[in-house]
Amino acid sequence: MAAHVRTTWRDSMAPASEVLAAFEGAKGFMPVGEGLALYGAAVEAGRLGLPLLEVGTYCGRSTILLADAARAAGVTAITVDHHRGSEEQQPGWEYHDPATVDPELGRMDTLPTFRRTLHRAGLEDHVVAVVGRSPQIAAFWNSPLGLVFIDGGHTDEHASGDYEGWAPHVAEGGLLLIHDVFPDPVDEFTGQAPYRVYLRALESGAFTEVSATDSLRVLRRTGEGI
């Protein structure tokens, strides 16, 4: 298993300054270092000529990087989210943002913010937003993917469901990315479920670790199954 240290992708894989600025200016939680690793992986995966898919859109911060990499490769970025917020984003929790609440319904709705984010970045034409719950969408998905980026809910139910639903669609040589991987048990709520999914992927024999950048893990499909 690779050591969990910061790794960087080649400078030639860095996004243009205006794309990076759009990423940094967007609402969201991914740090720049992890964003650069995500972008580098997306550029590499784009060479397979297959779509790049993320689970967990929120307001589109990471989608900007996937979309730009997809644009360069001539493929499509797909982002899946119900846009009602994950567990820790609900009222009363640490990551709740009142600005994302629909004033009429009193429920979170990050879809309008996401659409504004992509419009401002000039990337709307390179993204397909699929609005719904990840397991429901994965159940009818039947196309191979060059990259799957799991960044959804942090419970075992949701993280495992995302893995089981989408990992089978990663093409041979494609990349599986898992965000918020925290091995320390103190991070049970925020990162232990993604960590357990990460371990499961490695133990399956289907994926081999490529890099680790803070809480982002990049794995390549090198075998069958999940």
Side-chain angles (χ1 to χ4, degrees):
M1 187 182 304
H4 298 156
V5 297
R6 174 178 291 280
T7 62
T8 56
W9 295 81
R10 297 187 299 275
D11 289 342
S12 61
M13 285 189 175
S17 59
E18 63 271 18
V19 174
L20 186 58
F23 166 79
E24 292 186 278
K27 189 186 294 291
F29 309 104
M30 176 173 273
V32 172
E34 292 178 351
L36 292 175
L38 169 65
Y39 183 80
V43 169
E44 179 178 323
R47 294 171 183 154
L48 294 176
L50 297 170
L52 314 176
L53 182 142
E54 73 172 341
V55 180
T57 313
Y58 190 50
C59 296
R61 184 176 171 96
S62 56
T63 316
I64 289 173
L65 300 179
L66 290 178
D68 188 62
R71 173 172 60 181
V75 300
T76 299
I78 302 163
T79 185
V80 176
D81 201 313
H82 49 67
H83 288 280
R84 295 301 188 191
S86 57
E87 301 82 10
E88 70 275 15
Q89 294 164 358
Q90 302 306 316
W93 291 89
E94 180 180 0
Y95 294 102
H96 178 63
D97 183 347
T100 62
V101 175
D102 182 322
E104 181 177 343
L105 299 181
R107 297 189 64 191
M108 284 190 64
D109 185 0
T110 55
L111 183 57
T113 305
F114 160 71
R115 297 200 67 175
R116 287 192 293 270
T117 296
L118 279 193
H119 176 75
R120 290 166 179 162
L123 291 166
E124 286 183 294
D125 291 344
H126 304 281
V127 178
V128 171
V130 184
V131 180
R133 298 197 174 272
S134 171
Q136 291 176 297
I137 297 164
F140 64 74
W141 192 269
N142 59 11
S143 299
L145 299 164
L147 176 148
V148 167
F149 174 39
I150 296 178
D151 191 21
H154 293 135
T155 64
D156 282 301
E157 175 188 2
H158 291 142
S160 295
D162 290 340
Y163 176 72
E164 292 166 4
W166 294 105
H169 300 294
V170 177
E172 176 67 26
L175 299 178
L176 172 68
L177 280 66
I178 306 172
H179 195 218
D180 294 326
V181 173
F182 293 107
D184 193 328
V186 74
D187 296 309
E188 173 61 37
F189 185 72
T190 57
Q192 284 283 283
Y195 175 60
R196 286 187 280 270
V197 164
Y198 156 74
L199 293 179
R200 178 179 172 182
L202 291 178
E203 291 164 0
S204 73
F207 296 96
T208 301
E209 186 165 323
V210 174
S211 72
T213 303
D214 297 335
S215 75
L216 180 68
R217 301 291 182 270
V218 179
L219 297 88
R220 188 185 311 280
R221 178 176 285 286
T222 53
E224 296 183 356
I226 62 165

